[in-house]
Structures are given as C-alpha cells and as structure tokens.
Amino acid sequence: DVAGEWDAAAGRYTLTVRQSVPATPGQPEKQPMHLPLAVGLLDAEGNELPLSLDGEGPWEGGGTRVLAVREAEQCFTFTGLSAEPVPSLLRGFSAPVRLHCDYSDADLAFLLAYDTDLFNRWEAGQELARRALFGCVAAHQQGAPMNVDPELTRAFGALLRQEGADKALVAEVLTLPDEAYLADLMAAPVDPDAIH
C-alpha cells in the first residue's frame, strides 16, 4: 500500500509504503521482504521531476529512482518540488507485488496519457477499465442502466489521438481485462452473468 502526502509550503512530497506478506503453510508470520520499488514523479504536463530525497543533494539519476523497501512501513520524502506530483509507481514492474495506491480516476487517466513508463501506462489503462467494468457489474446487479465511465472514454480517446503513439502499446491498453481475471478480483460470490 502506497499513500502520498503533499506539503506545498515546504515543496515536499512523502510516499508512505506499507507492505504485508501473507502467511504460508509452516510460516504463520512472515517478515517484510526487500522490495525494489521503482518510482518517478510527474508534473501537471507529464514531465519527470527530480527525485531528491530529504537529506541528500540534488538527484542526477534521471526520471526513475529505485527505493529499497525493507521494513513493514517506510517513508520516503522528496524535496525541492514546486507543485504536487503524480507518482508513477512500480515502474517496469520492478517487484512482483500487488500494489495498491489511492489513485483517482483522473490520476489514472493522466498516467495513461503521460507516463513515460510503458508498463505503468498499460497498468493505468487496465485499472481504469477494471473500475469501469465493476461499475457496470454493480449497475447490472441492481437492474440499473449500465453506463461507461466518461473518464475511461476520455482517456482512451486521448491515447488514440496521440501522434506517434506506439501502436502495439495502444492495442494492449485498449484490450479490456478478461472475464476470468475480473472474476478472480470479484468478492464472493462471483456473478458470471454480470461480468459478461
């Protein structure tokens, strides 16, 4: 779980990372893992921001920085920022984890349009689609009209209109999550008719 906190007065953005490792047979309590969490920060125009951590000098390493997460909870504070960034997390799928961040639909649409990390652009599109599809599932179960979320159609439209966009990426992003995957994510009991 990752949460961000913006301090406008100080120009600081803090990422709080919490990890939990589920129990397995023979190991009821698991210690925190060492997770390489590759991150980037984007401004409102999609430009990558410097990744200087509190207590360090200026960052010269480019638009991605790998944070070493070794504890159950750790905070990483980025300094020298002029506006609240949108975090690009788990760039390049840097660790085999299930990441949860409280992205709004607008944040996901922004990442889909501007993130320089292709994995995260795809993942943002998949999460937007999952949210829209589960909204339709809930509407179907309540007998209400199913409407596609306008944020999803705007984001997909912006992707289709981008000049020079990688056509393979566009095709992957526009491929909706399949029914089996959605069923796996659905809380019991699974409703195959609603998913379909």
Side-chain angles (χ1 to χ4, degrees), residues 81-114:
L81 303 171
S82 58
E84 183 174 6
V86 175
S88 171
L89 304 170
L90 203 62
R91 288 184 145 198
F93 195 60
S94 60
V97 298
R98 287 187 185 222
L99 181 79
H100 176 264
C101 183
D102 56 354
Y103 285 126
S104 68
D105 287 353
D107 289 338
L108 291 170
F110 175 83
L111 290 171
L112 174 59
Y114 296 110

Side-chain angles (χ1 to χ4, degrees), residues 39-55:
V39 302
L41 300 176
L42 304 175
D43 68 13
E45 285 78 44
N47 300 310
E48 293 180 330
L49 296 170
L51 299 167
S52 300
L53 287 171
D54 193 23

Side-chain angles (χ1 to χ4, degrees), residues 131-153:
R131 290 179 183 185
L133 291 168
F134 279 131
C136 288
V137 164
H140 174 77
Q141 289 173 330
Q142 297 167 2
M146 293 183 289
N147 298 310
V148 176
D149 183 351
E151 195 71 58
L152 177 67
T153 55

Side-chain angles (χ1 to χ4, degrees), residues 162-175:
Q162 280 184 354
E163 291 199 24
D166 181 332
K167 289 179 177 27
L169 171 68
V170 172
E172 285 295 324
V173 170
L174 295 177
T175 302

